[in-house]
């Protein structure tokens, strides 16, 4: 029982939303792990590869992995308004044993319109209604 309590406490301390802030500036540059899709934690034991997104704001580019296939495309970021728009998103066409997260991540990317700070080292990508569709954690 004591081990379960310690594990639960460790998970709570590592959570992105444990210290949620809303108006902090967010620098999207660099690589991020996709840790939640539509509010559900990503179980990496059910993915072929770790789901990630990377941004190079100076080049207006986005890249990463949707859990099976690579993602590449353009990302136009307005840091002052905390908006983001993706275009020309393409993926490789591999078939993996479990495509559950792949489909959810790609669908969520289609709806992203903005972003906001979500706690220590995390950012939420939001849809047009400010609903979080993807949560990212800085690598």
């Amino acid at each position: 029982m004591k081990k379960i309590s310690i594990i639960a406490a460790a998970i709570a301390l590592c959570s992105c939303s444990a210290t949620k802030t809303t108006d902090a500036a967010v620098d999207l540059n660099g690589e991020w792990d996709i840790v939640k899709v539509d509010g559900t934690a990503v179980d990496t034991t059910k993915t072929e590869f770790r789901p990630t997104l990377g941004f190079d704001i100076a080049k207006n580019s986005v890249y990463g992995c949707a859990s099976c296939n690579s993602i590449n495309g353009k990302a136009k970021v307005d840091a002052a308004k905390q908006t983001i728009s993706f275009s020309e998103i393409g993926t490789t066409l591999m078939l993996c044993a479990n495509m559950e997260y792949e489909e959810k991540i790609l669908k969520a990317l289609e709806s992203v319109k903005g972003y906001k700070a979500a706690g220590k080292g995390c950012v939420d990508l939001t849809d047009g209604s400010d609903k979080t569709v993807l949560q990212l954690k800085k690598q």
Side-chain angles (χ1 to χ4, degrees), residues 9-10 14 21 26 31 42 59 69 71 98 102 111 119 123-124 126 131:
C14 294
T21 58
V26 176
E31 295 184 355
V42 173
K59 294 181 180 179
N69 289 286
I71 302 169
N98 190 335
E102 178 95 5
S111 67
V123 64
D124 287 344
T126 59
K131 176 186 173 222

PDB file of all heavy atoms in Angstrom, residues 9-10 14 21 26 31 42 59 69 71 98 102 111 119 123-124 126 131:
ATOM      1  N   ALA A   9       2.060   9.702  -5.714  1.00  0.00           N
ATOM      2  CA  ALA A   9       2.629  11.020  -5.415  1.00  0.00           C
ATOM      3  C   ALA A   9       3.637  11.426  -6.484  1.00  0.00           C
ATOM      4  O   ALA A   9       3.676  12.585  -6.910  1.00  0.00           O
ATOM      5  CB  ALA A   9       3.282  11.006  -4.039  1.00  0.00           C
ATOM      6  N   ALA A  10       4.455  10.492  -6.936  1.00  0.00           N
ATOM      7  CA  ALA A  10       5.444  10.788  -7.980  1.00  0.00           C
ATOM      8  C   ALA A  10       4.766  11.196  -9.279  1.00  0.00           C
ATOM      9  O   ALA A  10       5.191  12.136  -9.950  1.00  0.00           O
ATOM     10  CB  ALA A  10       6.351   9.591  -8.204  1.00  0.00           C
ATOM     11  N   CYS A  14       4.935  14.899 -11.292  1.00  0.00           N
ATOM     12  CA  CYS A  14       5.438  14.987 -12.659  1.00  0.00           C
ATOM     13  C   CYS A  14       4.388  15.483 -13.648  1.00  0.00           C
ATOM     14  O   CYS A  14       4.693  15.742 -14.792  1.00  0.00           O
ATOM     15  CB  CYS A  14       5.933  13.620 -13.121  1.00  0.00           C
ATOM     16  SG  CYS A  14       7.379  13.089 -12.195  1.00  0.00           S
ATOM     17  N   THR A  21      -0.575  27.318 -15.324  1.00  0.00           N
ATOM     18  CA  THR A  21      -0.622  28.761 -15.496  1.00  0.00           C
ATOM     19  C   THR A  21      -1.223  29.025 -16.866  1.00  0.00           C
ATOM     20  O   THR A  21      -1.197  28.177 -17.734  1.00  0.00           O
ATOM     21  CB  THR A  21       0.786  29.388 -15.434  1.00  0.00           C
ATOM     22  OG1 THR A  21       1.588  28.791 -16.450  1.00  0.00           O
ATOM     23  CG2 THR A  21       1.427  29.182 -14.076  1.00  0.00           C
ATOM     24  N   VAL A  26       5.120  31.298 -24.013  1.00  0.00           N
ATOM     25  CA  VAL A  26       5.539  29.949 -24.368  1.00  0.00           C
ATOM     26  C   VAL A  26       6.426  30.024 -25.601  1.00  0.00           C
ATOM     27  O   VAL A  26       6.048  30.632 -26.593  1.00  0.00           O
ATOM     28  CB  VAL A  26       4.314  29.058 -24.676  1.00  0.00           C
ATOM     29  CG1 VAL A  26       4.751  27.686 -25.127  1.00  0.00           C
ATOM     30  CG2 VAL A  26       3.397  28.959 -23.477  1.00  0.00           C
ATOM     31  N   GLU A  31      11.823  20.408 -29.405  1.00  0.00           N
ATOM     32  CA  GLU A  31      11.091  19.146 -29.497  1.00  0.00           C
ATOM     33  C   GLU A  31      10.286  18.887 -28.230  1.00  0.00           C
ATOM     34  O   GLU A  31      10.732  19.172 -27.121  1.00  0.00           O
ATOM     35  CB  GLU A  31      12.057  18.009 -29.781  1.00  0.00           C
ATOM     36  CG  GLU A  31      12.701  18.190 -31.144  1.00  0.00           C
ATOM     37  CD  GLU A  31      13.607  17.056 -31.551  1.00  0.00           C
ATOM     38  OE1 GLU A  31      13.844  16.129 -30.745  1.00  0.00           O
ATOM     39  OE2 GLU A  31      14.088  17.091 -32.694  1.00  0.00           O
ATOM     40  N   VAL A  42      -1.263   9.620 -23.099  1.00  0.00           N
ATOM     41  CA  VAL A  42      -0.747   8.700 -24.110  1.00  0.00           C
ATOM     42  C   VAL A  42      -0.011   7.560 -23.402  1.00  0.00           C
ATOM     43  O   VAL A  42       0.887   7.797 -22.603  1.00  0.00           O
ATOM     44  CB  VAL A  42       0.211   9.425 -25.081  1.00  0.00           C
ATOM     45  CG1 VAL A  42       0.881   8.436 -26.026  1.00  0.00           C
ATOM     46  CG2 VAL A  42      -0.538  10.491 -25.866  1.00  0.00           C
ATOM     47  N   LYS A  59      11.860  28.881 -39.303  1.00  0.00           N
ATOM     48  CA  LYS A  59      11.636  28.286 -40.619  1.00  0.00           C
ATOM     49  C   LYS A  59      10.159  27.953 -40.867  1.00  0.00           C
ATOM     50  O   LYS A  59       9.835  27.350 -41.896  1.00  0.00           O
ATOM     51  CB  LYS A  59      12.466  27.003 -40.759  1.00  0.00           C
ATOM     52  CG  LYS A  59      13.953  27.265 -40.761  1.00  0.00           C
ATOM     53  CD  LYS A  59      14.719  25.974 -40.933  1.00  0.00           C
ATOM     54  CE  LYS A  59      16.221  26.216 -40.938  1.00  0.00           C
ATOM     55  NZ  LYS A  59      16.970  24.963 -41.071  1.00  0.00           N
ATOM     56  N   ASN A  69       4.047   7.001 -37.847  1.00  0.00           N
ATOM     57  CA  ASN A  69       4.558   7.721 -39.013  1.00  0.00           C
ATOM     58  C   ASN A  69       5.142   9.080 -38.667  1.00  0.00           C
ATOM     59  O   ASN A  69       4.703   9.743 -37.731  1.00  0.00           O
ATOM     60  CB  ASN A  69       3.427   7.898 -40.029  1.00  0.00           C
ATOM     61  CG  ASN A  69       3.074   6.582 -40.686  1.00  0.00           C
ATOM     62  OD1 ASN A  69       3.822   6.098 -41.517  1.00  0.00           O
ATOM     63  ND2 ASN A  69       1.960   5.988 -40.281  1.00  0.00           N
ATOM     64  N   ILE A  71       5.854  13.049 -39.200  1.00  0.00           N
ATOM     65  CA  ILE A  71       5.042  14.213 -39.561  1.00  0.00           C
ATOM     66  C   ILE A  71       5.991  15.303 -40.027  1.00  0.00           C
ATOM     67  O   ILE A  71       7.024  15.547 -39.400  1.00  0.00           O
ATOM     68  CB  ILE A  71       4.268  14.747 -38.341  1.00  0.00           C
ATOM     69  CG1 ILE A  71       3.361  13.687 -37.740  1.00  0.00           C
ATOM     70  CG2 ILE A  71       3.487  16.013 -38.697  1.00  0.00           C
ATOM     71  CD1 ILE A  71       2.791  14.081 -36.378  1.00  0.00           C
ATOM     72  N   ASN A  98      -0.308  -1.032 -33.909  1.00  0.00           N
ATOM     73  CA  ASN A  98      -1.344  -0.288 -33.195  1.00  0.00           C
ATOM     74  C   ASN A  98      -1.368   1.142 -33.711  1.00  0.00           C
ATOM     75  O   ASN A  98      -0.436   1.901 -33.492  1.00  0.00           O
ATOM     76  CB  ASN A  98      -1.078  -0.318 -31.694  1.00  0.00           C
ATOM     77  CG  ASN A  98      -2.240   0.216 -30.885  1.00  0.00           C
ATOM     78  OD1 ASN A  98      -3.040   1.008 -31.373  1.00  0.00           O
ATOM     79  ND2 ASN A  98      -2.351  -0.224 -29.651  1.00  0.00           N
ATOM     80  N   GLU A 102      -2.096   7.175 -33.427  1.00  0.00           N
ATOM     81  CA  GLU A 102      -1.774   7.806 -34.711  1.00  0.00           C
ATOM     82  C   GLU A 102      -2.989   8.584 -35.241  1.00  0.00           C
ATOM     83  O   GLU A 102      -2.907   9.765 -35.562  1.00  0.00           O
ATOM     84  CB  GLU A 102      -1.371   6.720 -35.712  1.00  0.00           C
ATOM     85  CG  GLU A 102      -1.071   7.232 -37.096  1.00  0.00           C
ATOM     86  CD  GLU A 102       0.392   7.494 -37.322  1.00  0.00           C
ATOM     87  OE1 GLU A 102       1.215   7.204 -36.439  1.00  0.00           O
ATOM     88  OE2 GLU A 102       0.724   8.010 -38.385  1.00  0.00           O
ATOM     89  N   SER A 111      -7.349  20.276 -35.910  1.00  0.00           N
ATOM     90  CA  SER A 111      -8.208  21.259 -35.239  1.00  0.00           C
ATOM     91  C   SER A 111      -7.434  22.322 -34.462  1.00  0.00           C
ATOM     92  O   SER A 111      -8.040  23.249 -33.926  1.00  0.00           O
ATOM     93  CB  SER A 111      -9.177  20.542 -34.293  1.00  0.00           C
ATOM     94  OG  SER A 111      -8.482  19.944 -33.224  1.00  0.00           O
ATOM     95  N   GLY A 119       1.640  24.560 -17.461  1.00  0.00           N
ATOM     96  CA  GLY A 119       2.340  24.111 -16.267  1.00  0.00           C
ATOM     97  C   GLY A 119       3.804  23.914 -16.567  1.00  0.00           C
ATOM     98  O   GLY A 119       4.278  24.195 -17.667  1.00  0.00           O
ATOM     99  N   VAL A 123       2.855  22.620 -22.644  1.00  0.00           N
ATOM    100  CA  VAL A 123       2.030  23.546 -23.412  1.00  0.00           C
ATOM    101  C   VAL A 123       0.818  22.782 -23.930  1.00  0.00           C
ATOM    102  O   VAL A 123       0.902  21.604 -24.249  1.00  0.00           O
ATOM    103  CB  VAL A 123       2.841  24.193 -24.571  1.00  0.00           C
ATOM    104  CG1 VAL A 123       3.281  23.162 -25.590  1.00  0.00           C
ATOM    105  CG2 VAL A 123       2.074  25.311 -25.229  1.00  0.00           C
ATOM    106  N   ASP A 124      -0.324  23.465 -23.960  1.00  0.00           N
ATOM    107  CA  ASP A 124      -1.543  22.899 -24.526  1.00  0.00           C
ATOM    108  C   ASP A 124      -1.746  23.466 -25.922  1.00  0.00           C
ATOM    109  O   ASP A 124      -1.653  24.686 -26.118  1.00  0.00           O
ATOM    110  CB  ASP A 124      -2.773  23.265 -23.691  1.00  0.00           C
ATOM    111  CG  ASP A 124      -2.845  22.517 -22.369  1.00  0.00           C
ATOM    112  OD1 ASP A 124      -2.138  21.511 -22.214  1.00  0.00           O
ATOM    113  OD2 ASP A 124      -3.630  22.943 -21.497  1.00  0.00           O
ATOM    114  N   THR A 126      -4.608  24.108 -28.568  1.00  0.00           N
ATOM    115  CA  THR A 126      -6.050  24.254 -28.410  1.00  0.00           C
ATOM    116  C   THR A 126      -6.759  24.403 -29.744  1.00  0.00           C
ATOM    117  O   THR A 126      -6.166  24.837 -30.736  1.00  0.00           O
ATOM    118  CB  THR A 126      -6.371  25.474 -27.528  1.00  0.00           C
ATOM    119  OG1 THR A 126      -5.808  26.650 -28.142  1.00  0.00           O
ATOM    120  CG2 THR A 126      -5.781  25.317 -26.126  1.00  0.00           C
ATOM    121  N   LYS A 131     -10.359  24.701 -26.373  1.00  0.00           N
ATOM    122  CA  LYS A 131     -10.333  23.379 -25.735  1.00  0.00           C
ATOM    123  C   LYS A 131      -8.990  22.721 -26.062  1.00  0.00           C
ATOM    124  O   LYS A 131      -8.550  22.720 -27.207  1.00  0.00           O
ATOM    125  CB  LYS A 131     -11.468  22.508 -26.270  1.00  0.00           C
ATOM    126  CG  LYS A 131     -11.447  21.090 -25.721  1.00  0.00           C
ATOM    127  CD  LYS A 131     -12.494  20.217 -26.395  1.00  0.00           C
ATOM    128  CE  LYS A 131     -12.300  18.782 -25.937  1.00  0.00           C
ATOM    129  NZ  LYS A 131     -12.439  17.827 -27.005  1.00  0.00           N
TER     130      LYS A 131
END
